[in-house]
Amino acid sequence: MTPFTAELIGTAAMILLGGGVVANVVLNQTKGNNSGWIVITTAWAFAVFVGVTIAGPYSGAHLNPAVTLANYIMGNIDLQSTLSYIGAQFLGAMAGATLVWITYKDHFDQTDNPGAKQAVFCTAPAIRNIPINLFSEALGTFVLIFTILHFKDASLADHSPVGLGSIGAIPVTFLVWVIGLSLGGTTGYAINPARDLGPRIIHALLPIKNKAHFDLRYAWVPVVGPLIGASLAALLFIILK
């Protein structure tokens, strides 16, 4: 298990479960059909928990180019590692999205709504207003990154570190959950370029009947917005520190 492999597998697991819950909620004739936003945000939060648990010991579990960019700005990783992490994240996201499609293929075939089928793979704004949509993605990612940068390892009174094992992934789980519940209603809170663009590309390539178009006029928003938010969060953290 290398950092590249860990990022790939961790991101794939996150997208498998995150995209999987959307498929379960929006596609026809599933057991979870129409179960709602709470189900989606909760499962996405725990999908992040699974990805972080897998990748954490080997790569630090970025699973998100915005997280990787913030770490690069802060000097925690070099350019080669940055590019390697981002490549792994995109490949993992595409793999996870493909597995979701295979798992729910019968339900894709039973669903006529193109938007619902595309929603399994990527986000779309509730109200299309590109400047506000961009701000929403940047703000959500800012909250994500700025909070992550303030996470502290547990320690005893004598400052000896305490190994938390897998439960060390719980803080980011709650963080993603609250972002989804509080700020996700405008754009679907991609807050992760790989999570949105990778599966969006897979959606365009797969033989899905009556599918929505790629939507290039919006597809850049959940890529650029998170990168802006991550950069601002890292810079503010550096200034305040």
Side-chain angles (χ1 to χ4, degrees):
M1 183 76 92
T2 65
F4 179 90
T5 306
E7 286 293 305
L8 192 156
I9 296 175
T11 306
M14 179 180 71
I15 299 300
L16 170 63
L17 299 176
V21 70
V22 179
N24 192 24
V25 171
V26 305
L27 298 180
N28 289 346
Q29 298 186 30
T30 64
K31 298 289 188 180
N33 184 252
N34 289 324
S35 51
W37 187 245
I38 297 296
V39 171
I40 290 175
T41 55
T42 303
W44 257 112
F46 284 98
V48 172
F49 174 85
V50 172
V52 171
T53 298
I54 292 171
Y58 307 98
S59 68
H62 293 189
L63 312 182
N64 181 343
V67 175
T68 302
L69 175 61
N71 276 275
Y72 176 71
I73 291 172
M74 296 184 63
N76 295 332
I77 56 175
D78 58 24
L79 180 60
Q80 182 177 353
S81 296
T82 298
L83 296 177
S84 175
Y85 273 46
I86 292 174
Q89 291 154 8
F90 271 96
L91 290 174
M94 296 169 81
T98 303
L99 291 173
V100 173
W101 174 71
I102 294 171
T103 302
Y104 280 95
K105 185 180 184 307
D106 289 341
H107 300 276
F108 276 101
D109 293 341
Q110 294 297 319
T111 302
D112 295 326
N113 186 337
K117 288 187 280 192
Q118 189 178 45
V120 175
F121 295 88
C122 56
T123 61
I127 297 175
R128 184 176 292 252
N129 181 335
I130 296 300
I132 295 298
N133 301 151
L134 184 66
F135 176 81
S136 296
E137 284 294 331
L139 179 62
T141 311
F142 179 92
V143 173
L144 175 73
I145 301 301
F146 195 67
T147 307
I148 287 175
L149 292 175
H150 284 86
F151 285 169
K152 300 293 184 182
D153 292 330
S155 63
L156 300 173
D158 63 356
H159 303 294
S160 299
V162 177
L164 297 179
S166 296
I167 66 171
I170 288 178
V172 73
T173 302
F174 286 124
L175 175 58
V176 171
W177 197 3
V178 74
I179 290 173
L181 290 173
S182 301
L183 303 176
T186 56
T187 61
Y189 74 116
I191 59 174
N192 181 338
R195 168 265 178 276
D196 197 274
L197 182 58
R200 189 184 294 269
I201 292 171
I202 290 298
H203 171 266
L205 296 176
L206 287 173
I208 301 172
K209 299 177 183 178
N210 188 33
K211 63 183 176 181
H213 60 86
F214 188 83
D215 195 7
L216 186 60
R217 287 184 295 178
Y218 181 79
W220 65 273
V221 172
V223 174
V224 175
L227 297 180
I228 293 173
S231 299
L232 292 175
L235 291 173
L236 179 60
F237 183 84
I238 292 171
I239 292 170
L240 295 177
K241 186 178 181 180

